[in-house]
Amino acid sequence: MDQQSSVPKHALPSYLNQNDLGAWGIFLEQIDRIAPYMGSLSPWIETLKRPKTIMVVDVPIELDDGSFAHFEGYRVQHNTIRGPGKGGVRFHQDVNLSEVMALAGWMSIKCAAVDLPFGGAKGGIRIDPRNYSQKELERVTRRYTSEIGSIIGPLKDIPAPDVNTGPQVMAWMMDTFSMNQGYTTSGVVTGKPIALGGSLGRVEATGRGVYVAACEAARDQGIDLQGARVVIQGFGNVGGTAARLFFEAGAKVIALQDHTATVANEEGIDIYKLLEHVEHHGGIKGFEGATEISVDEFWATETDLLIPAALENQVTEKNAHSVNTKILVEGANGPTTPAADDILSDKGVFIVPDVLANAGGVTVSYFEWVQDFSSFFWTVDEINHRLERMMREAYRAIRETAKYHGVSMRTAAYIIACTRILEQRKVRGLYP
């Protein structure tokens, strides 16, 4: 579908390429698809098509060799009507404004879909972290935090880890913000090290949430997880955790892909051995318990559950026809384009959308935020129990909405989320 023709002209931001809106165009198209279900809230739907705040900053640092480098940084707050903005910060060489806007929008939907008291936000720096030292990445992080410091905070906007960032980056962000405030502000970010007020269970939370959503979907579709065939794209925190949980449940992970290789084993891959291999070699390439296959073979692998848990736009109209799965569970943000969504639906593939499937991370981030405010911390068993309960409740509510309206799980998730956001917008009204 032509993204430009599907979106009203007045919804097209002047600062983006009008002929190619990128990921933001996909988000707008998804909003348009649920407009007919908004009823009396329809007059407010334009709210969802316009980010509240967009900040683009220059991030200059001194490199280790004494020279200077400049990086482009972003922080987008899509909507904060339900609470502080919430969303990760990614370090990637291909980060752009359209992508960050879309990711912020998806965070708004995700938080509302699982009924968290957050709005949606996202951040990023256009940098390939592999090309820089630890000290250089620290300088980039601290300068970026200072540049966006005026719009973040525990009650404003709470960053978290994302692609190529983790607890250490969050520690630098928290420290920088705290130094500028003049006192320790642990709640400004989530995904921190445990020693700094981080939450137990946070690292595995997104992958665990994906697994819980997949279990619910398998039960829905009459698939016994014991012996079920699973294919996973991505083997980081999300894909790796999900793979381990599937393996422990007796499912067979028959194909995997990460940034180093694409491998398969029809008899099932020993995930414990693969995790050990990755720890020593930095990727799945060279693992003796599987054979390398082509990317096309990977997507065409016959499976019960397909989990894209890498980056956005991985399942498109180019490869959707070859996808051979019963259930697709979106571990990544925006891995399936709208065109591919339609193709898969026509093929009878049951899709658990990203705004539900990977909401485990932001849910435990919410737990961390609450624990930081109270300075009272829960056990990992308490956290996992609360996470699993909230994921199952959200899944079932979305499933019931999908059945009631006769729509896909994605459309149902957007109906619930957008209704919650726009109801608050309508009741609060406009000021001044």
Side-chain angles (χ1 to χ4, degrees):
M1 182 181 293
D2 183 338
Q3 290 176 350
Q4 186 174 0
S5 63
S6 69
V7 179
K9 278 289 184 182
H10 61 276
L12 300 177
S14 59
Y15 37 79
L16 294 181
N17 182 342
Q18 303 297 288
N19 296 314
D20 182 9
L21 290 175
W24 178 245
I26 293 175
F27 176 76
L28 293 179
E29 187 174 338
Q30 290 169 338
I31 295 299
D32 282 342
R33 290 187 176 201
I34 57 88
Y37 301 95
M38 290 297 98
S40 64
L41 297 172
S42 293
W44 296 96
I45 202 164
E46 196 72 16
T47 301
L48 300 169
K49 297 182 178 181
R50 298 177 181 272
K52 179 182 184 295
T53 304
I54 294 174
M55 181 175 277
V56 182
V57 297
D58 178 38
V59 184
I61 66 160
E62 182 177 350
L63 299 176
D64 292 343
D65 63 5
S67 63
F68 297 93
H70 292 256
F71 304 92
E72 191 163 272
Y74 308 93
R75 189 67 186 176
V76 174
Q77 294 166 353
H78 172 259
N79 190 282
T80 57
I81 204 74
R82 285 174 52 82
K86 191 77 190 78
V89 175
R90 62 178 51 183
F91 289 0
H92 197 275
Q93 62 274 16
D94 296 327
V95 165
N96 59 65
L97 181 57
S98 171
E99 175 187 63
V100 177
M101 288 169 61
L103 291 166
W106 286 322
M107 283 302 300
S108 291
I109 302 300
K110 185 185 304 182
C111 291
V114 294
D115 209 12
L116 299 178
F118 289 139
K122 205 73 176 185
I125 303 175
R126 190 181 298 169
I127 184 174
D128 187 342
R130 295 171 296 185
N131 297 334
Y132 298 90
S133 70
Q134 184 84 338
K135 283 294 183 183
E136 290 168 335
L137 292 175
E138 180 178 353
R139 291 180 207 124
V140 165
T141 302
R142 290 185 181 276
R143 183 61 188 239
Y144 168 75
T145 305
S146 290
E147 294 291 343
I148 68 168
S150 62
I151 66 168
I152 63 173
L155 298 176
K156 291 182 179 180
D157 180 1
I158 308 146
D162 199 76
V163 177
N164 293 326
T165 60
Q168 180 60 74
V169 170
M170 294 303 106
W172 291 330
M173 291 191 74
M174 188 209 84
D175 182 69
T176 303
F177 184 86
S178 296
M179 292 302 99
N180 288 337
Q181 293 293 110
Y183 54 88
T184 297
T185 312
S186 59
V188 67
V189 297
T190 58
K192 303 179 295 295
I194 301 299
L196 297 183
S199 177
L200 297 172
R202 174 60 184 88
V203 173
E204 293 187 342
T206 306
R208 183 175 295 277
V210 169
Y211 170 74
V212 172
C215 288
E216 291 296 309
R219 186 179 297 110
D220 249 357
Q221 302 300 302
I223 296 173
D224 187 351
L225 208 59
Q226 182 77 31
R229 295 161 61 87
V230 181
V231 171
I232 301 176
Q233 183 196 36
F235 201 66
N237 281 344
V238 181
T241 298
R244 177 178 61 78
L245 292 171
F246 280 119
F247 181 68
E248 291 172 351
K252 292 199 302 182
V253 180
I254 58 171
L256 279 162
Q257 183 185 82
D258 74 353
H259 65 286
T260 65
T262 306
V263 302
N265 182 341
E266 274 293 315
E267 300 304 312
I269 297 169
D270 188 320
I271 300 300
Y272 289 155
K273 291 181 179 178
L274 181 56
L275 287 168
E276 186 177 347
H277 173 88
V278 170
E279 185 176 351
H280 289 94
H281 298 90
I284 65 177
K285 188 174 181 63
F287 178 61
E288 294 182 355
T291 304
E292 286 206 30
I293 60 173
S294 70
V295 173
D296 289 342
E297 289 175 308
F298 173 82
W299 291 114
T301 302
E302 183 180 354
T303 186
D304 295 307
L305 289 148
L306 172 62
I307 320 285
L311 295 171
E312 60 268 15
N313 295 335
Q314 297 301 296
V315 184
T316 69
E317 55 188 327
K318 294 180 180 178
N319 62 6
H321 290 288
S322 65
V323 168
N324 190 7
T325 187
K326 296 173 183 174
I327 300 171
L328 186 145
V329 183
E330 296 183 331
N333 290 312
T336 311
T337 66
D341 211 0
D342 292 339
I343 293 169
L344 294 174
S345 295
D346 289 344
K347 292 173 63 174
V349 177
F350 185 79
I351 300 173
V352 183
D354 50 358
V355 293
L356 168 62
N358 67 30
V362 72
T363 300
V364 176
S365 282
Y366 166 60
F367 297 163
E368 180 176 333
W369 181 68
V370 169
Q371 291 171 89
D372 284 337
F373 269 122
S374 64
S375 296
F376 182 82
F377 294 87
W378 308 336
T379 67
V380 69
D381 287 342
E382 287 176 312
I383 287 162
N384 289 340
H385 174 74
R386 292 171 189 261
L387 168 63
E388 291 174 15
R389 176 178 57 79
M390 289 184 70
M391 289 294 297
R392 289 194 174 96
E393 288 176 354
Y395 179 96
R396 289 164 187 168
I398 292 169
R399 185 67 174 129
E400 286 304 309
T401 299
K403 290 178 179 178
Y404 178 79
H405 289 287
V407 296
S408 69
M409 289 285 283
R410 189 186 313 281
T411 299
Y414 273 69
I415 290 172
I416 288 176
C418 293
T419 298
R420 286 172 175 163
I421 295 169
L422 297 182
E423 279 180 342
Q424 290 203 20
R425 174 73 281 170
K426 179 181 179 181
V427 172
R428 286 179 61 165
L430 297 177
Y431 173 84

